[in-house]
Amino acid sequence: MLITTVSEFRKDIKSYLDRVVKNFETLIINRGKDSGIVVMSLEEYNSLMATNHELSSRKNELRLDAAIEKLKNEKSFEKDLVEN
């Protein structure tokens, strides 16, 4: 995570934005007491929104948790795909 001030961000906008995109870093631009802006890549934002959607219902959340537990306990299986 990168943290900077508005003044420092202005001085080197391109470099900051390049780091955000290339390194999947999140940039926080501090604007004073308890105030700031978060900058992230579009790819990171889309991933965050997809995760938020997947966890938006309790039923989905429970299914994902169960699948993770199966993987952890090696109770998963492989299945070949059937091509038509």
Side-chain angles (χ1 to χ4, degrees):
M1 180 183 315
L2 301 170
I3 301 174
T4 191
T5 63
V6 173
S7 299
E8 290 299 315
F9 180 68
R10 273 194 211 121
K11 289 178 187 176
D12 204 4
I13 291 173
K14 184 181 180 332
S15 174
Y16 279 108
L17 295 179
D18 285 345
R19 287 176 66 185
V20 165
V21 172
K22 290 178 184 173
N23 301 328
F24 297 101
E25 292 194 62
T26 302
L27 171 64
I28 296 177
I29 303 171
N30 191 342
R31 299 190 73 204
K33 185 179 180 184
D34 299 327
S35 178
I37 296 170
V38 176
V39 179
M40 66 177 68
S41 70
L42 180 58
E43 188 175 350
E44 190 73 19
Y45 174 79
N46 287 337
S47 176
L48 185 63
M49 290 298 104
T51 300
N52 188 46
H53 175 72
E54 290 297 324
L55 297 176
S56 64
S57 78
R58 184 72 179 140
K59 185 176 179 180
N60 270 356
E61 186 177 353
L62 291 173
R63 285 179 47 217
L64 289 170
D65 287 344
I68 290 169
E69 279 303 310
K70 282 182 183 178
L71 285 172
K72 284 181 182 176
N73 296 323
E74 299 180 5
K75 294 183 179 178
S76 61
F77 62 92
E78 289 185 23
K79 193 170 185 179
D80 293 329
L81 295 176
V82 177
E83 293 185 30
N84 293 330

